[in-house]
Structure formats: structure tokens, C-alpha cells
């Protein structure tokens, strides 16, 4: 079998130790990989590379099939960019896949039956990094959800379930509040679920879903979520399964993939041969499956399960009474190597290699009738509502009239309640009486009109009807 080129980064803190143990096991198991090493992390940050990597590294990553990455240390202080976010977004690694499994009775957990895979959208949502300081004292982040991005991750989740013999895909979202962004994610989930009639589907509002996940994780199978919920809940899931030290994760894209442990570089444990290499090892197992070496993946995973069953544990999962022998990083790796070829007796054996095929992303853009009918103009103004209203109430252009003023999404005019707390960002909504189509030029004239009365416009959003339905939220109050 030809060797598959992979990129390896040893990272910082405990990174080099757990990477050494992991690669040693891969080698002993017969993984056919050709290693290309790159330097990333703390040292590079200090050399002045803002995101912890030398741009020359892209060529190495591009020339290999996968990137196995140990954790890095993010330096304290401002001005540094996240290396992980840079790699995920630059390479288009849209799916973050995190199996969270309990290994009861060998690793203590309150949830002995837990076997959940979290599939987290990795590129959009509040992580698209579109943020503004709009006024001296108001900042805003844009939560971006696209049909194309949502289709990719949701189809990936169903496809993952199918390939791994899983029965159900659950959606977590909050479309009772975010009717447009999470609403779109939910709608696409319902559409794609129809393509997988053999897989059950269900949805939960994220708050109650999270509570249920923490209480009875065994009722879940695969859970798909937008980025932020997935970021938070995949850590919760890994922790309640037993330990964050035991979970690996895959970041999958169409043109590349990155595999890593979910924990950080644990600097206090560095250089002592005590760290648990399991998270990185399980990430490497996901990598072997991904690059078409499922037999080696199964062999290593089963040897690792057998080692857990034997009670050979690193300090983080060692428990008097359950564990038999406390070992260091290297000794744990050696124990796994000794067990290569064996299967666990009590824990469920791992089987990789189900028919994969190539996941086809079908994105058909929708084409509704789109009608421009008005504009929301955001103004920076420090003062009372009455004073604000008197300065702007006369503004109108063509058929466009002021229809509503809101503050933090709450309607303060017409109507409004004296208790409503107002900040220095005001939204003024304009449209015509009969919601007739307007031209962009009239909307721009509205912005000019604010300028004439010396009001600072800090943002504007054009209002569209899509097939006659508003493409903007209405205000509370
Ligand atoms: P951490 O995950 O490094 O450590 C949290 C706790 O878990 C510590 O008590 C640590 O000793 C323990 N721990 C973690 N991994 C372990 C292992 N494999 N074996 C045994 N014990 C383990 O989180 P932190 O302390 O918040 O972060 C340390 C550094 O790691 C920071 O600079 C942070 O930015 C970075 N970090 C990097 C990544 C990454 O590269 N993907 C992820 C998270 C944090």
C-alpha cells in the first residue's frame, strides 16, 4: 500500500510527548503514512506570526491528505489570532466531528451508556468574525447562517449517521428566538432529513436540549448544531462522558482535514511524561479512517479499549479501586502497542470501514421573488427618545415614511413604554404605505437626510419581501 502523506505538528506544552506516543502506536500498528513536520504555536507567535504559523506552511498542508495537530499554547495578551480558526476557515473545514463516549466501568462517569457524536458547523454563525464597534459603547457581532453552509453540515451529519450505523440525528437550535438564522438551519434540517428515511430525526431548542444532554445523554445519537452551540456543548459532552483528555476531534473539509485532541496544551503537565495521549490517539484513529486505512484504525482503537479495560491508566483517569496501574505517557503508549491485535471484552469493539463513497454536496440556490420595500437606519444618538424623535420625525423621501423606532429591538415609537431602557443605538424603519417597491436611490437619499440633520448613521439594512414574506424581524413591544 502506498504511504499517504500527512502533516504533523507537535505543538506546545504536552504536545510533543503525546504526539510521540501517538506516532509510535501508529507505526507499530502498520499505518501507511509519510510524515511532513511543521512548526506551529507559541514559538511562531513570539516570532511575530500573528496566528501562530508561518504562511509557508500552507504549501506543506496542501500537499498532504490530512493534518494531525497537537495542542498549542496561545500566548497571553492581545493581538494574537486563533490558529485553529485560521486553519479551519482558510481550508474550509466545515465539519467538526467529536465522538463523546463513556468507558464505564473503566473510567468513572455518571453516564455509563453515553455514546454521542456531536457534529458542529465550523465556519459560520457568530464565528464568521464579522464584528463592529458601532458607537463608543455599543458592539455587535453578526450571526451569519447560509443555506449552502447549513446544507453541507446537515447532510454531513446524516451521512455520518448512515455510514456509522447510527439510528438518529438530532438538531439543536433556537429558532423560537432567532427565527431567520436558526430558522433557516432548522428548515434545511427538515428538508435534508427527508433524503434519509432510514434515520430518525428530531429537534430540540438548544437550552432544553443541552439540559437533556447533560442529564440523559444516552437518549442521543448524532447531534448537529450551529457553530456556537456546538462549541460549548461538545466540551460539555466530552467532559460528562468521563474526561476531556479522552476525546479526539476531526475537522473535515472538501479539500483537507485536520485531526486533534479536544484538550489544550496543559503547560503545567509538560515535560513530565504524565499526560494522557488518548485524545490525540483517537483523533489519529479518525484520521486513519478518513485517509482510507480503516483496518489500522480499528486495530488501534480496539487495542486502546483493551488497555483501558486492563486498568492501565494515566493520572487523569486513574481511580483507586477501578484502575490497576498508574502509568506515564510513554508507558501507556507501550501498553496499547502490546494490545495491538486484541479486542476489548466488555467495551464495544470499534469497527471502521463501512462503505464511504464521496459525500456529494448538492446546493441548489433558491430563487424567490425579491422586492425591496424599505430600509432600517441605525443612528448613534445620546439623549432622550423625545429629543431624538423631534430631530428625525420629518424625514421622508418619495413614498417612504418613518414607521417605527426601536432601541435594542424594542419598539419605542409609535407607542412605547416609559420603563424601556434605551442605549445610544437607535433603529429607524422606513417603508411606504402599501409596501410598494422602492429604488435603492431613495433609500440612499434617506441616509443623506439623516446627514442633513447631523445624525450619525452607523449602519443600514435594506428591507426585502421574499415571495411576499418579510425578510426582516418585526419589533417587540
Ligand atoms: P487544557 O485542556 O490544556 O487543560 C485543562 C486541564 O486538563 C488541566 O488541568 C490539564 O492538566 C488537564 N489536561 C488537559 N489535557 C490533558 C491530558 N492529555 N492529559 C492529562 N491532563 C490533561 O486547557 P487550558 O489550561 O485552559 O489551556 C492551556 C493552553 O492550551 C492555553 O494556552 C490554551 O489557549 C491552549 N488550548 C489549545 C487548544 C488547541 O490547540 N486545540 C485547545 C484548548 C486550549
Amino acid at each position: 500500500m502506498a504511504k499517504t502523506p500527512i502533516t504533523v505538528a507537535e505543538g506546545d506544552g504536552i504536545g510533543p510527548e503525546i504526539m510521540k506516543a501517538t506516532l509510535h502506536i501508529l507505526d507499530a500498528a502498520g499505518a501507511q503514512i509519510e510524515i511532513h513536520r511543521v512548526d506551529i504555536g507559541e514559538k511562531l507567535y513570539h516570532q511575530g506570526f500573528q496566528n501562530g504559523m508561518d504562511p509557508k506552511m500552507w504549501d506543506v498542508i496542501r500537499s498532504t491528505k490530512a493534518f494531525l495537530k497537537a495542542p498549542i499554547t496561545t500566548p497571553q495578551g492581545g493581538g494574537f489570532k486563533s490558529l485553529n480558526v485560521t486553519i479551519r476557515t482558510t481550508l474550509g473545514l466545515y465539519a467538526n466531528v467529536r465522538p463523546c463516549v463513556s468507558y464505564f466501568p473503566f473510567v468513572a462517569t455518571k453516564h455509563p451508556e453515553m455514546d454521542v457524536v456531536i457534529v458542529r458547523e465550523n465556519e459560520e454563525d457568530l464565528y464568521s468574525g464579522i464584528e463592529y464597534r458601532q458607537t463608543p459603547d455599543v458592539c455587535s457581532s453578526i450571526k451569519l447562517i447560509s443555506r449552502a453552509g447549513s446544507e453541507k453540515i446537515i447532510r454531513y451529519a446524516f451521512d455520518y449517521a448512515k455510514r456509522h450505523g447510527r439510528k438518529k440525528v438530532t438538531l439543536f437550535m433556537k429558532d423560537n428566538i432567532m427565527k431567520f438564522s436558526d430558522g433557516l438551519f432548522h428548515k434545511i434540517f427538515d428538508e435534508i432529513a427527508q433524503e434519509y428515511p432510514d434515520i430518525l430525526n428530531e429537534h430540540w431548542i438548544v437550552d432544553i436540549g443541552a439540559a437533556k444532554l447533560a442529564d440523559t445523554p444516552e437518549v442521543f445519537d448524532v447531534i448537529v448544531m450551529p457553530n456556537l452551540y456546538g462549541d460549548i456543548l461538545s466540551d460539555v459532552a466530552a467532559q460528562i462522558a468521563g474526561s476531556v483528555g479522552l476525546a479526539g476531534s476531526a475537522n473535515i473539509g472538501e479539500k483537507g482535514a485536520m485531526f486533534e485532541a479536544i484538550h489544550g496544551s496543559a503547560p503545567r503537565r509538560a515535560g513530565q511524561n504524565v499526560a494522557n495521549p488518548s485524545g490525540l490517539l483517537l483523533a489519529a484513529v479518525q484520521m486513519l479512517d478518513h485517509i482510507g486505512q480503516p483496518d489500522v484504525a480499528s486495530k488501534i482503537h480496539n487495542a486502546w479499549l483493551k488497555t483501558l479495560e486492563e486498568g492501565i491508566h494515566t493520572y487523569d483517569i486513574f481511580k483507586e479501586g477501578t484502575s490497576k496501574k498508574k502509568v506515564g505517557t510513554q508507558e501507556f503508549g507501550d501498553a496499547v502497542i502490546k494490545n495491538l491485535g486484541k479486542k476489548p471484552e466488555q467495551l464495544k469493539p470499534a469497527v471502521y470501514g463501512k462503505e464511504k463513497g464521496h459525500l456529494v454536496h448538492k446546493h441548489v440556490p433558491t430563487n424567490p421573488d425579491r422586492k425591496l420595500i424599505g430600509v432600517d437606519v441605525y443612528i448613534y444618538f445620546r439623549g432622550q427618545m423625545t429629543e431624538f424623535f423631534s430631530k428625525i420625525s420629518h424625514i421622508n423621501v418619495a413614498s417612504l415614511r418613518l414607521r417605527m423606532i426601536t432601541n435594542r429591538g424594542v419598539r419605542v415609537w409609535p407607542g412605547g413604554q416609559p420603563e424601556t431602557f434605551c442605549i445610544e443605538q437607535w433603529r429607524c424603519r422606513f417603508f411606504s404605505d402599501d409596501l410598494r417597491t422602492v429604488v435603492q436611490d431613495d433609500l440612499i437619499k434617506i441616509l443623506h437626510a439623516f446627514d442633513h440633520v447631523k445624525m450619525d448613521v452607523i449602519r443600514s439594512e435594506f428591507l426585502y419581501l421574499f415571495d411576499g414574506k418579510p425578510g426582516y424581524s418585526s419589533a417587540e413591544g
Side-chain angles (χ1 to χ4, degrees), residues 14 69 71-74 84 260 263-267 269 275-276 315:
I14 58 170
K69 176 184 156 291
I72 60 145
T73 302
T74 318
N84 269 358
E260 60 183 341
H263 58 75
S265 59
R269 308 285 178 189
N276 188 346
Y315 84 93

Side-chain angles (χ1 to χ4, degrees), residues 340-356:
L340 287 169
K342 295 185 191 158
K343 288 209 166 135
E345 281 154 38
Q346 271 178 263
L347 296 169
K348 195 169 107 200
V351 186
Y352 293 92
K354 290 241 164 67
E355 180 243 324
K356 258 201 198 62

Side-chain angles (χ1 to χ4, degrees), residues 68-122:
L68 183 63
K69 176 184 156 291
I72 60 145
T73 302
T74 318
Q76 299 289 314
F80 299 111
K81 288 192 175 152
S82 161
L83 173 74
N84 269 358
V85 173
T86 304
I87 294 174
R88 284 175 192 160
T89 49
T90 309
L91 296 181
L93 308 182
Y94 65 90
N96 185 275
V97 185
R98 224 178 242 199
C100 301
V101 185
S102 64
Y103 304 100
F104 185 81
F106 306 101
V107 179
T109 171
K110 294 189 185 103
H111 306 289
E113 308 280 310
M114 179 172 181
D115 183 1
V116 176
V117 179
I118 308 265
V119 177
R120 161 190 169 195
E121 198 287 316
N122 228 2

